[in-house]
């Protein structure tokens, strides 16, 4: 069984919602990433989304764009990100890790080479923001050959037809983008998220995660009422950006945020 | 992934491209975040509906005639032809269009489509500012809100065009991310669109981006090639031997080339920006020196490093300073129907001066790349052969750049 499925099964038994933090690999420097991943797991993270830096992050707001630029100053490429997961696996064989990024680094590495290298290092899934199911045929084949889960986005603008075809291609979990906009935006409306989540459930038994715009414990708790997973990214990266150069206080602030979310979600 | 080169250019049916999903061979497609799929499919449907609609076409035709000033002349460059001492050189005078470049052909078309789709707000990206000005111009006329994204580096290089857009009522938003040039302006426009999908129409200025943009922009620009066919038949009684156009994203080039693709005796040359030279690494020539990849919604040749990061480009001309290129050009390169070459900043500048002095026509620095290649090509051809060059825009906007290079302050 995949780590992602095992993780969601475990949580379901205890009626808990998964907390999925997102950080950018190599931000603000390469030494920060793996220790922070472990610290986030200790603070209550159930899965980790690891951003792959890209020069042109079209779907991201200013906070994650800046994180990508900081990582690229250290020349963090996709192979280095995979190495970080390999290093994380030395101490954690259970927490699923999902790479999140854009297609071009995967395209340049080659689908087959990427899938085998990532699977061997202990990556569990990949969310490629800019490849809809229509263009995914070859990529999905390569991922499935290595038991990697292709994670797909569903958006507020997705029609029923599209929801159906996305769910048919997805595995691991399905990621609902909670608002029209980029990551870290401020216009999240909980009621409309709940309506859409219920609509999506008609088409899949996969766990449903919700992300984009979840900035604090209160929102995490609200969204966890209807979702199987809550993804938080920009709110973490803001705290990291405010503590560049002081790794101890960076870790402290990030884990404090995750603990507050975890507590609110479990309450 | 199969290679497009498996296709034989000799049997390709150019009018059937792209396929329903926007593919030109392995290039093109729709590589965007899910939020944009619905508006793109809506746009595809609207475009399919209106592109053959007689009322829509009549309105477009009226505007192209009375607002843009079409047809643009095909001009025999007699003095320059004599100086070059080879093929007869004709210039397709897109510089004489309203707003001074070919860009307006496309913005008028897309804005009329936006109006029919009930969109009240248009957004655009711009590099040199010509597409931004053309968008602001039609938005003013149709009373639409207009926001133009422009890299802060380009804003410095093209201050006059920025002021022109503001005079027309557009909001010009400086983009500070990445390399602060055209590609980053495109990223920012995409972010705006994803946030405001309900009421906003994104007017992309070139034949790149996700389907249906490469096909739609090509169709709106193909008037250049259709007119050229008629005009050269009138003037010379036959088709030209060669076509030459500059290629950044490639919209003026595909506009000239497309109506001639089936005419296999017509040689086609797309001219990219070699900047300081292809070996210097400081250039903007993805077809000549790049690799295929995925950026801005389509698969195409790109300037990228071994990690798949998009690399910074350089060209004296802001309009060619882009790391990608329209997917149809990538396909035409692979099947061998078009030749893609590159000329340096210095060669383009030389052509700028030569044509200004010889013909009394001041070309844009973008178009000067096409002229610079023509200066190499014409002498190698016979005197009874014909070259048509797309003079895609006028050079007024570049006077400051040229003067600065010569140490003159204007």
């Amino acid at each position: 069984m995949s780590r992602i499925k095992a993780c969601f099964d475990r949580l379901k038994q205890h009626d808990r919602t998964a907390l999925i933090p997102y950080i950018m690999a190599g931000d603000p420097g390469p030494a920060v990433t793996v220790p922070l991943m472990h610290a986030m797991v200790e603070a209550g993270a159930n899965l980790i989304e690891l951003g792959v830096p890209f020069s042109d992050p079209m779907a991201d707001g200013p906070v994650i764009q800046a994180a990508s630029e900081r990582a690229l100053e250290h020349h963090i490429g996709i192979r280095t990100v995979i190495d970080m997961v390999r290093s994380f696996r030395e101490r954690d064989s259970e927490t699923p890790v999902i790479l999140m990024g854009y297609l071009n680094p995967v395209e340049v590495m080659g689908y087959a080479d990427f899938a085998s290298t990532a699977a061997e290092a202990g990556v569990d899934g990949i969310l490629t923001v800019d490849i809809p199911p229509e263009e995914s045929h070859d990529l999905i084949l390569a991922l499935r050959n290595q038991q990697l889960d292709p994670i797909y986005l569903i958006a507020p603008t997705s029609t029923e037809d599209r929801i159906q075809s996305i769910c048919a291609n997805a595995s691991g979990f399905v990621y609902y983008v909670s608002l029209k906009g980029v990551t870290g935006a401020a216009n999240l409306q909980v009621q409309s998220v709940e309506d859409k989540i219920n609509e999506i459930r008609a088409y899949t038994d996969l766990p449903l995660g919700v992300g984009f715009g979840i900035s604090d414990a209160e929102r995490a708790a609200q969204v966890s009422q209807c979702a199987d997973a809550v993804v938080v990214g920009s709110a973490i990266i803001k705290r990291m950006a405010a503590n560049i150069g002081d790794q101890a206080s960076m870790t402290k602030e990030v884990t404090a945020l995750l603990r507050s979310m975890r507590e609110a979600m479990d309450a | 992934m199969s290679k497009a080169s498996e296709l034989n250019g000799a049997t390709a049916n150019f009018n059937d491209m792209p396929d329903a999903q926007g593919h030109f061979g392995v290039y093109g497609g729709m590589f965007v975040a899910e939020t944009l799929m619905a508006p793109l499919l809506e746009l595809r449907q609207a475009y399919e509906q209106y592109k053959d609609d007689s009322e829509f076409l009549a309105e477009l035709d009226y505007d192209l005639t009375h607002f843009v000033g079409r047809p643009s002349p095909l001009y025999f460059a007699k003095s320059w032809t004599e100086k070059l001492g080879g093929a007869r050189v004709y210039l397709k005078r897109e510089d004489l269009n309203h707003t001074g470049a070919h860009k307006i052909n496309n913005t008028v078309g897309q804005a009329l489509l936006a109006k029919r789709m009930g969109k009240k707000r248009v957004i655009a990206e711009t590099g040199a500012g010509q597409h931004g000005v053309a968008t602001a111009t039609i938005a003013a006329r149709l009373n639409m809100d207009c926001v133009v994204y422009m890299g802060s580096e380009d804003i410095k290089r093209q201050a006059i065009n920025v002021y022109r857009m503001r005079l027309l009522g557009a909001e010009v938003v400086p983009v500070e991310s990445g390399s602060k040039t055209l590609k980053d302006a495109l990223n920012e426009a995409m972010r705006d669109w994803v946030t405001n999908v309900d009421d906003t129409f994104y007017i992309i200025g070139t034949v790149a981006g996700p389907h249906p943009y490469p096909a739609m922009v090509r169709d709106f620009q193909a008037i250049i090639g259709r007119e050229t066919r008629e005009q050269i038949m009138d003037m010379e009684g036959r088709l030209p031997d060669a076509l030459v156009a500059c290629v950044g994203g490639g919209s003026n080039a595909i506009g000239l080339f497309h109506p001639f693709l089936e005419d296999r005796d017509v040689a086609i040359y797309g001219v990219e920006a070699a900047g300081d030279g292809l070996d210097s690494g400081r250039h903007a020539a993805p077809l000549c020196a790049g690799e295929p990849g995925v950026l801005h919604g389509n698969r195409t040749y790109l300037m990228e490093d071994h990690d798949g990061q998009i690399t910074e480009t350089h060209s004296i001309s802001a309009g060619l300073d882009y790391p990608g290129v329209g997917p149809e050009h990538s396909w035409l390169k692979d099947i061998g129907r078009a030749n893609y070459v590159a000329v340096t900043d210095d060669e383009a500048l030389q052509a700028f001066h030569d044509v200004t002095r010889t013909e009394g026509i001041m070309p844009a620095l973008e178009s000067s790349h096409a002229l610079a290649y023509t200066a190499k090509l014409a002498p190698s051809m016979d005197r009874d052969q014909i070259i048509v060059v797309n003079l895609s825009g006028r050079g007024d906007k570049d006077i400051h750049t040229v003067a600065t290079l010569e140490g003159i302050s204007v």
Side-chain angles (χ1 to χ4, degrees):
Chain A
M1 187 192 296
S2 81
R3 278 191 203 97
I4 295 176
K5 180 158 175 24
C7 173
F8 277 103
D9 285 355
R10 251 187 341 264
L11 288 163
K12 198 170 185 182
Q13 280 174 8
H14 299 95
D15 201 22
R16 293 173 82 204
T17 304
L19 178 58
I20 311 182
Y22 166 101
I23 58 171
M24 179 66 71
D27 167 43
V32 172
T33 307
V34 176
L36 185 60
M37 289 167 77
H38 289 303
M40 292 194 301
V41 173
E42 280 159 33
N46 306 105
L47 301 84
I48 290 174
E49 269 188 20
L50 197 54
V52 181
F54 183 50
S55 52
D56 293 81
M58 284 189 302
D60 285 300
V63 172
I64 292 179
Q65 287 172 46
S68 199
E69 288 181 15
R70 287 192 294 271
L72 286 173
E73 277 170 27
H74 298 280
H75 305 286
I76 305 298
I78 191 163
R79 289 175 192 273
T80 315
V81 179
I82 293 170
D83 286 341
M84 289 174 174
V85 178
R86 187 178 289 115
S87 164
F88 174 75
R89 284 278 169 252
E90 288 168 10
R91 273 182 52 204
D92 188 327
S93 58
E94 200 169 78
T95 308
V97 176
I98 296 139
L99 301 188
M100 179 166 180
Y102 295 80
L103 181 60
N104 202 47
V106 179
E107 179 108 351
V108 167
M109 190 173 173
Y111 295 167
D113 186 9
F114 165 77
S116 61
T117 310
E120 176 269 322
V123 171
D124 301 288
I126 176 160
L127 197 173
T128 324
V129 177
D130 54 349
I131 187 164
E134 286 89 334
E135 302 283 0
S136 295
H137 180 259
D138 294 354
L139 179 60
I140 289 178
L141 277 183
L143 296 176
R144 293 221 196 286
N145 273 340
Q146 300 291 337
Q147 283 81 49
L148 289 174
D149 286 322
I151 314 290
Y152 279 94
L153 300 175
I154 289 179
T157 53
S158 302
T159 56
E160 267 190 57
D161 280 2
R162 294 195 59 76
I163 292 173
Q164 205 167 355
S165 82
I166 292 166
C167 289
N169 283 293
S171 61
F173 68 99
V174 173
Y175 186 134
Y176 178 61
V177 176
S178 58
L179 47 80
K180 292 173 192 163
V182 292
T183 51
N187 51 337
L188 176 71
Q189 289 175 331
V190 177
Q191 185 56 49
S192 67
V193 170
E194 197 175 330
D195 293 346
K196 198 77 176 188
I197 287 287
N198 290 333
E199 190 187 333
I200 299 167
R201 287 209 194 274
Y203 297 100
T204 184
D205 295 327
L206 288 172
L208 300 182
V210 173
F212 280 46
I214 297 172
S215 55
D216 55 25
E218 190 190 344
R219 294 199 177 189
Q222 287 170 339
V223 170
S224 74
Q225 298 294 312
C226 66
D228 304 304
V230 169
V231 186
V232 53
S234 295
I236 291 175
I237 291 172
K238 261 186 205 164
R239 284 161 177 79
M240 294 174 69
N243 290 281
I244 287 174
D246 185 348
Q247 201 171 334
S249 58
M250 182 185 292
T251 307
K252 202 172 140 196
E253 283 210 32
V254 170
T255 52
L257 174 71
L258 291 178
R259 283 201 178 88
S260 72
M261 288 182 156
R262 185 74 266 173
E263 273 174 33
M265 287 161 61
D266 291 346
Chain B
M1 197 170 74
S2 62
K3 274 277 166 207
S5 50
E6 287 167 12
L7 285 165
N8 180 355
T11 59
N13 187 345
F14 298 101
N15 291 320
D16 286 349
M17 298 301 261
D19 70 15
Q21 308 302 321
H23 298 111
F24 300 88
V26 298
Y27 301 107
M30 300 173 95
F31 293 89
V32 295
E34 175 60 22
T35 311
L36 289 179
M37 285 303 291
L40 281 171
L41 295 172
E42 182 195 352
L43 174 61
R44 186 172 85 182
Q45 194 182 11
Y47 181 59
E48 286 300 318
Q49 180 188 340
Y50 288 113
K51 72 175 191 173
D52 301 314
D53 178 274
S54 57
E55 239 174 77
F56 176 79
L57 292 174
E59 190 176 351
L60 177 60
D61 197 44
Y62 182 91
D63 275 7
L64 290 176
T65 305
H66 300 281
F67 188 63
V68 176
R70 304 206 70 90
S72 67
L74 184 67
Y75 167 79
F76 176 49
K78 187 162 177 282
S79 304
W80 199 44
T81 293
E82 279 165 14
K83 201 173 162 193
L84 294 175
R88 295 162 66 78
V89 178
Y90 283 82
L91 306 178
K92 180 60 174 165
R93 298 291 309 275
E94 292 298 301
D95 60 316
L96 294 178
N97 292 339
H98 182 37
T99 70
H102 71 291
K103 292 291 185 190
I104 190 98
N105 302 329
N106 167 53
T107 56
V108 166
Q110 288 196 49
L112 291 178
L113 191 59
K115 198 175 80 171
R116 277 176 166 66
M117 292 174 72
K119 308 285 183 185
K120 306 246 181 291
R121 177 176 182 267
V122 295
I123 58 171
E125 83 294 340
T126 197
Q130 291 303 105
H131 174 59
V133 167
T135 304
T137 296
I138 190 67
R141 177 158 168 267
L142 296 178
N143 191 26
M144 290 168 148
D145 290 336
C146 178
V147 177
V148 178
Y149 291 92
M150 189 167 184
S152 58
E153 281 299 315
D154 290 336
I155 284 182
K156 276 186 239 158
R157 290 197 271 192
Q158 300 288 347
I160 298 284
N161 271 344
V162 173
Y163 185 54
R164 193 172 286 158
M165 287 183 267
R166 288 181 174 146
L167 286 174
L168 287 159
E171 181 189 349
V172 181
V173 179
V175 177
E176 301 286 355
S177 57
S179 60
K180 305 177 177 65
T181 59
L182 178 57
K183 81 173 174 76
D184 310 285
L186 219 150
N187 292 337
E188 209 56 39
M190 287 277 187
R191 291 180 188 121
D192 179 312
W193 198 27
V194 90
T195 307
N196 301 293
V197 290
D198 296 328
D199 70 342
T200 297
F201 188 106
Y202 180 13
I203 300 186
I204 293 186
T206 191
V207 285
H211 183 61
Y213 285 99
M216 178 172 68
V217 176
R218 173 198 70 196
D219 293 349
F220 287 137
Q221 292 293 2
I223 182 116
I224 301 171
R226 288 198 304 272
E227 284 176 6
T228 299
R229 277 185 82 94
E230 280 186 26
Q231 289 165 323
I232 200 74
M233 290 305 287
D234 283 349
M235 296 167 86
E236 292 275 0
R238 67 182 187 89
L239 295 181
D241 298 283
L243 303 173
V244 184
C246 64
V247 178
S251 70
N252 90 82
I254 211 81
L256 175 65
F257 298 167
H258 196 261
F260 291 93
L261 290 176
E262 302 279 359
D263 304 297
R264 311 209 180 226
D265 293 338
V266 179
I268 293 176
Y269 299 92
V271 186
E272 295 193 303
D276 291 344
L278 291 182
D279 295 337
S280 72
R282 277 174 52 80
H283 59 82
L287 290 166
C288 292
E291 296 286 335
V294 172
L295 178 70
H296 292 155
N298 66 106
R299 182 178 283 126
T300 192
Y301 278 86
L302 298 174
M303 307 263 300
E304 59 190 353
D305 67 14
H306 61 278
D307 278 330
Q309 309 297 346
I310 308 306
T311 52
E312 294 201 5
T313 51
H314 165 77
S315 170
I316 190 175
S317 122
L320 302 184
D321 208 349
Y322 179 65
V325 63
E328 192 164 10
H329 287 293
S330 294
W331 178 67
L332 292 173
K333 171 191 159 76
D334 279 11
I335 64 170
R337 178 63 188 96
N339 308 290
Y340 293 93
V341 296
V343 303
T344 63
D345 286 353
D346 289 345
E347 291 170 320
L349 263 175
Q350 186 62 49
F352 170 90
H353 287 297
D354 288 349
V355 172
T356 300
R357 286 292 184 92
T358 317
E359 294 292 343
I361 294 170
M362 194 176 293
L365 286 175
E366 289 79 7
S367 322
S368 298
H369 286 71
L371 296 166
Y373 187 73
T374 303
K376 296 182 190 182
L377 183 64
S380 73
M381 292 167 66
D382 294 337
R383 283 169 191 273
D384 60 354
Q385 289 191 294
I386 302 165
I387 302 175
V388 174
V389 190
N390 200 359
L391 195 74
S392 54
R394 69 180 182 220
D396 309 42
K397 68 178 174 58
D398 297 314
I399 289 176
H400 189 72
T401 304
V402 174
T404 304
L405 283 169
E406 300 189 334
I408 298 163
S409 142
V410 287

